[in-house]
Amino acid sequence: RKEVEQDPGPFNVPEGATVAFNCTYSNSASQSFFWYRQDCRKEPKLLMSVYSSGNEDGRFTAQLNRASQYISLLIRDSKLSDSATYLCVVNEGFQKLVFGTGTRLLVSP
Amino acid sequence: NAGVMQNPRHLVRRRGQEARLRCSPMKGHSHVYWYRQLPEEGLKFMVYLQKENIIDESGMPKERFSAEFPKEGPSILRIQQVVRGDSAAYFCASSPTPTGLAGVGSSTDTQYFGPGTRLTVL
Protein backbone atom coordinates (compact mmCIF):
# COMPACT_ATOMS: atom_id res chain seq x y z
CA ARG A 1 0.00 0.00 0.00
CA LYS A 2 1.32 3.43 -0.91
CA GLU A 3 1.97 5.82 1.97
CA VAL A 4 -0.11 8.55 0.32
CA GLU A 5 -2.68 7.63 -2.30
CA GLN A 6 -4.44 9.89 -4.77
CA ASP A 7 -6.60 9.39 -7.82
CA PRO A 8 -4.29 10.41 -10.69
CA GLY A 9 -7.15 11.78 -12.80
CA PRO A 10 -7.23 13.70 -15.00
CA PHE A 11 -10.25 15.60 -13.85
CA ASN A 12 -11.65 17.56 -16.80
CA VAL A 13 -14.00 20.33 -15.68
CA PRO A 14 -15.41 23.48 -17.29
CA GLU A 15 -14.64 26.92 -15.95
CA GLY A 16 -16.80 27.76 -12.96
CA ALA A 17 -17.24 24.17 -11.85
CA THR A 18 -16.61 22.86 -8.35
CA VAL A 19 -14.18 19.96 -8.10
CA ALA A 20 -13.03 17.85 -5.17
CA PHE A 21 -9.89 15.77 -4.72
CA ASN A 22 -9.35 13.12 -2.09
CA CYS A 23 -6.28 11.57 -0.57
CA THR A 24 -5.65 8.83 1.97
CA TYR A 25 -2.52 8.23 4.03
CA SER A 26 -1.35 5.09 5.74
CA ASN A 27 0.69 6.33 8.70
CA SER A 28 -1.62 7.17 11.59
CA ALA A 29 1.26 8.95 13.35
CA SER A 30 1.47 11.57 10.61
CA GLN A 31 1.60 15.02 12.11
CA SER A 32 0.93 17.63 9.47
CA PHE A 33 -0.68 17.74 6.09
CA PHE A 34 -0.52 19.94 3.03
CA TRP A 35 -1.74 20.43 -0.48
CA TYR A 36 0.90 21.51 -2.98
CA ARG A 37 0.37 22.50 -6.57
CA GLN A 38 2.78 21.52 -9.32
CA ASP A 39 2.65 22.97 -12.80
CA CYS A 40 4.18 21.03 -15.66
CA ARG A 41 7.97 20.73 -15.24
CA LYS A 42 7.99 23.20 -12.35
CA GLU A 43 8.63 22.92 -8.63
CA PRO A 44 5.85 22.12 -6.14
CA LYS A 45 4.38 25.20 -4.51
CA LEU A 46 2.52 25.19 -1.23
CA LEU A 47 -1.20 25.73 -1.75
CA MET A 48 -2.37 25.35 1.83
CA SER A 49 -1.89 23.49 5.06
CA VAL A 50 -4.68 21.20 6.20
CA TYR A 51 -6.13 21.28 9.71
CA SER A 52 -8.57 18.99 11.49
CA SER A 53 -11.00 21.86 11.88
CA GLY A 54 -10.96 22.47 8.15
CA ASN A 55 -9.64 25.59 6.57
CA GLU A 56 -10.52 27.83 3.69
CA ASP A 57 -8.45 30.15 1.52
CA GLY A 58 -10.55 31.96 -1.05
CA ARG A 59 -11.94 29.38 -3.47
CA PHE A 60 -10.02 26.54 -1.83
CA THR A 61 -11.20 24.48 1.15
CA ALA A 62 -9.21 21.69 2.77
CA GLN A 63 -10.42 19.10 5.24
CA LEU A 64 -8.66 16.50 7.34
CA ASN A 65 -10.26 13.44 8.91
CA ARG A 66 -7.68 11.84 11.19
CA ALA A 67 -9.93 8.93 12.15
CA SER A 68 -10.32 7.91 8.51
CA GLN A 69 -6.82 9.12 7.52
CA TYR A 70 -8.38 11.09 4.73
CA ILE A 71 -7.64 14.54 3.31
CA SER A 72 -9.69 16.50 0.81
CA LEU A 73 -9.38 19.62 -1.30
CA LEU A 74 -12.36 21.46 -2.75
CA ILE A 75 -11.95 24.06 -5.47
CA ARG A 76 -14.94 26.29 -6.19
CA ASP A 77 -15.51 28.41 -9.31
CA SER A 78 -12.63 26.78 -11.19
CA LYS A 79 -10.41 29.03 -13.30
CA LEU A 80 -8.32 28.11 -16.32
CA SER A 81 -5.28 28.96 -14.22
CA ASP A 82 -6.20 26.21 -11.75
CA SER A 83 -5.10 23.61 -14.31
CA ALA A 84 -2.20 21.82 -12.64
CA THR A 85 -1.32 18.71 -10.68
CA TYR A 86 -2.39 18.80 -7.03
CA LEU A 87 -0.13 16.96 -4.63
CA CYS A 88 -1.31 15.60 -1.30
CA VAL A 89 1.61 15.78 1.12
CA VAL A 90 2.06 14.31 4.58
CA ASN A 91 4.73 15.02 7.17
CA GLU A 92 5.27 11.89 9.22
CA GLY A 93 7.16 13.76 11.87
CA PHE A 94 10.63 12.82 10.75
CA GLN A 95 11.39 15.99 8.83
CA LYS A 96 10.61 14.48 5.46
CA LEU A 97 7.56 15.07 3.34
CA VAL A 98 5.80 12.12 1.76
CA PHE A 99 4.14 13.00 -1.53
CA GLY A 100 1.26 11.43 -3.34
CA THR A 101 1.70 11.02 -7.05
CA GLY A 102 -0.75 13.86 -7.65
CA THR A 103 -4.15 14.47 -9.19
CA ARG A 104 -4.17 16.23 -12.52
CA LEU A 105 -6.81 18.93 -13.08
CA LEU A 106 -7.69 20.33 -16.49
CA VAL A 107 -10.06 23.31 -16.56
CA SER A 108 -11.47 24.10 -19.98
CA PRO A 109 -13.22 27.23 -21.30
CA ASN B 1 14.07 37.61 0.02
CA ALA B 2 15.27 35.31 -2.73
CA GLY B 3 13.75 31.88 -2.82
CA VAL B 4 15.55 28.57 -2.92
CA MET B 5 18.15 28.62 -5.68
CA GLN B 6 19.27 25.59 -7.62
CA ASN B 7 21.83 25.26 -10.36
CA PRO B 8 22.25 24.19 -12.96
CA ARG B 9 18.64 24.09 -14.09
CA HIS B 10 19.46 21.54 -16.75
CA LEU B 11 22.37 19.11 -16.73
CA VAL B 12 23.30 16.58 -19.39
CA ARG B 13 25.78 13.84 -18.60
CA ARG B 14 26.97 10.72 -20.36
CA ARG B 15 26.86 7.38 -18.59
CA GLY B 16 29.75 7.05 -16.18
CA GLN B 17 30.27 10.78 -15.61
CA GLU B 18 29.67 12.64 -12.38
CA ALA B 19 26.79 15.03 -11.73
CA ARG B 20 26.93 17.82 -9.14
CA LEU B 21 23.73 19.61 -8.21
CA ARG B 22 23.78 22.73 -6.06
CA CYS B 23 21.18 24.20 -3.77
CA SER B 24 21.21 27.49 -1.86
CA PRO B 25 18.42 27.64 0.74
CA MET B 26 16.28 30.66 1.43
CA LYS B 27 17.90 33.29 3.61
CA GLY B 28 17.52 32.33 7.23
CA HIS B 29 16.85 28.66 6.47
CA SER B 30 19.31 26.16 7.85
CA HIS B 31 17.50 22.94 6.95
CA VAL B 32 17.82 21.48 3.46
CA TYR B 33 16.02 18.54 1.90
CA TRP B 34 16.61 16.82 -1.45
CA TYR B 35 13.88 15.05 -3.41
CA ARG B 36 13.89 13.19 -6.69
CA GLN B 37 11.03 13.04 -9.17
CA LEU B 38 11.25 10.37 -11.82
CA PRO B 39 9.19 10.86 -14.99
CA GLU B 40 5.47 10.42 -14.34
CA GLU B 41 6.08 9.74 -10.63
CA GLY B 42 5.73 11.63 -7.36
CA LEU B 43 8.53 13.27 -5.45
CA LYS B 44 10.57 10.92 -3.27
CA PHE B 45 12.57 12.07 -0.25
CA MET B 46 16.29 11.48 -0.51
CA VAL B 47 18.15 13.26 2.28
CA TYR B 48 17.79 15.89 5.01
CA LEU B 49 20.76 18.01 6.05
CA GLN B 50 21.62 20.79 8.41
CA LYS B 51 24.85 22.76 8.23
CA GLU B 52 27.72 20.25 8.28
CA ASN B 53 25.43 17.39 9.29
CA ILE B 54 23.44 14.71 7.51
CA ILE B 55 20.38 14.15 9.63
CA ASP B 56 18.43 11.59 7.60
CA GLU B 57 19.66 9.88 4.45
CA SER B 58 17.13 7.07 4.47
CA GLY B 59 16.01 7.88 0.93
CA MET B 60 19.44 7.94 -0.65
CA PRO B 61 20.49 5.06 -2.90
CA LYS B 62 23.22 3.08 -1.16
CA GLU B 63 25.81 3.61 -3.84
CA ARG B 64 26.99 6.50 -6.03
CA PHE B 65 24.92 9.17 -4.28
CA SER B 66 26.19 11.55 -1.62
CA ALA B 67 25.15 14.89 -0.20
CA GLU B 68 26.72 17.62 1.87
CA PHE B 69 25.83 21.01 3.32
CA PRO B 70 29.07 22.71 4.30
CA LYS B 71 29.41 25.53 6.78
CA GLU B 72 29.90 27.94 3.89
CA GLY B 73 28.33 27.62 0.49
CA PRO B 74 25.47 25.67 -1.02
CA SER B 75 24.32 22.15 -0.40
CA ILE B 76 25.65 19.69 -2.98
CA LEU B 77 24.05 16.49 -4.23
CA ARG B 78 26.66 14.40 -6.00
CA ILE B 79 25.98 11.45 -8.24
CA GLN B 80 28.96 9.43 -9.35
CA GLN B 81 29.08 7.20 -12.43
CA VAL B 82 25.62 8.23 -13.58
CA VAL B 83 23.33 5.74 -15.31
CA ARG B 84 20.28 6.34 -17.48
CA GLY B 85 18.00 5.54 -14.56
CA ASP B 86 19.33 8.62 -12.74
CA SER B 87 17.57 10.86 -15.28
CA ALA B 88 15.04 12.80 -13.24
CA ALA B 89 14.18 16.16 -11.76
CA TYR B 90 16.01 16.80 -8.50
CA PHE B 91 14.36 19.31 -6.19
CA CYS B 92 15.85 20.95 -3.16
CA ALA B 93 13.72 22.41 -0.39
CA SER B 94 14.52 24.43 2.69
CA SER B 95 12.87 25.36 5.95
CA PRO B 96 13.77 27.61 8.88
CA THR B 97 13.09 24.85 11.40
CA PRO B 98 12.78 21.07 11.14
CA THR B 99 9.37 20.64 9.58
CA GLY B 100 6.93 18.74 11.69
CA LEU B 101 8.25 20.14 14.90
CA ALA B 102 7.23 23.77 14.68
CA GLY B 103 3.63 22.96 15.28
CA VAL B 104 0.78 22.51 12.90
CA GLY B 105 -0.31 25.76 11.44
CA SER B 106 3.00 27.45 12.02
CA SER B 107 4.28 29.38 9.06
CA THR B 108 7.57 27.55 9.53
CA ASP B 109 6.00 24.11 9.38
CA THR B 110 6.59 23.56 5.72
CA GLN B 111 9.26 23.35 3.09
CA TYR B 112 9.87 25.72 0.20
CA PHE B 113 11.10 24.26 -3.04
CA GLY B 114 13.64 25.42 -5.56
CA PRO B 115 13.05 25.25 -9.33
CA GLY B 116 14.83 21.91 -9.62
CA THR B 117 17.66 20.53 -11.71
CA ARG B 118 16.66 18.32 -14.62
CA LEU B 119 19.33 15.69 -15.12
CA THR B 120 19.47 13.84 -18.41
CA VAL B 121 21.86 10.92 -18.76
CA LEU B 122 22.67 9.98 -22.32
Side-chain angles (χ1 to χ4, degrees):
Chain A
R1 183 183 174 187
K2 290 183 180 178
E3 293 172 274
V4 179
E5 293 207 56
Q6 296 182 251
D7 181 343
F11 284 58
N12 290 285
V13 301
E15 273 187 289
T18 296
V19 62
F21 305 139
N22 304 318
C23 163
T24 57
Y25 60 95
S26 61
N27 188 341
S28 59
S30 298
Q31 297 187 359
S32 50
F33 310 88
F34 310 91
W35 284 101
Y36 277 73
R37 169 191 170 134
Q38 186 174 29
D39 292 282
C40 186
R41 303 183 69 80
K42 298 284 185 65
E43 75 272 26
K45 293 186 177 178
L46 178 66
L47 182 64
M48 59 198 306
S49 299
V50 188
Y51 311 130
S52 295
S53 55
N55 50 302
E56 187 174 313
D57 183 1
R59 298 180 294 108
F60 299 85
T61 300
Q63 291 277 355
L64 167 65
N65 184 322
R66 283 189 183 270
S68 301
Q69 295 179 204
Y70 171 96
I71 306 162
S72 65
L73 176 68
L74 182 76
I75 305 175
R76 291 180 298 278
D77 188 22
S78 299
K79 311 291 185 190
L80 294 176
S81 57
D82 293 335
S83 296
T85 297
Y86 290 83
L87 307 174
C88 178
V89 185
V90 172
N91 186 320
E92 298 184 337
F94 298 103
Q95 291 84 50
K96 64 184 181 185
L97 299 181
V98 180
F99 285 77
T101 52
T103 297
R104 191 172 172 209
L105 172 65
L106 298 171
V107 181
S108 55
Chain B
N1 186 7
V4 178
M5 309 287 283
Q6 287 188 252
N7 69 82
R9 296 290 302 277
H10 300 275
L11 182 62
V12 179
R13 287 287 178 265
R14 296 191 180 280
R15 281 179 295 170
Q17 292 184 318
E18 178 180 287
R20 282 185 175 240
L21 288 61
R22 296 175 187 79
C23 169
S24 297
M26 287 178 71
K27 187 177 180 181
H29 288 194
S30 58
H31 303 266
V32 167
Y33 314 79
W34 285 93
Y35 294 82
R36 176 167 67 174
Q37 187 173 32
L38 295 169
E40 305 303 322
E41 293 190 15
L43 279 79
K44 301 292 184 188
F45 168 82
M46 298 181 76
V47 62
Y48 162 44
L49 310 103
Q50 296 179 27
K51 284 285 187 181
E52 301 185 277
N53 286 300
I54 297 174
I55 307 302
D56 180 355
E57 56 181 348
S58 59
M60 288 279 270
K62 299 299 181 192
E63 297 177 348
R64 302 187 297 107
F65 285 71
S66 62
E68 62 177 6
F69 190 14
K71 186 176 180 180
E72 301 290 339
S75 175
I76 306 287
L77 178 68
R78 181 182 177 203
I79 311 172
Q80 295 178 289
Q81 299 175 340
V82 296
V83 301
R84 287 208 174 122
D86 297 333
S87 295
Y90 292 82
F91 291 101
C92 168
S94 72
S95 67
T97 62
T99 51
L101 301 182
V104 173
S106 164
S107 62
T108 58
D109 186 37
T110 191
Q111 298 174 15
Y112 298 88
F113 284 80
T117 294
R118 296 198 174 273
L119 172 65
T120 301
V121 179
L122 301 177

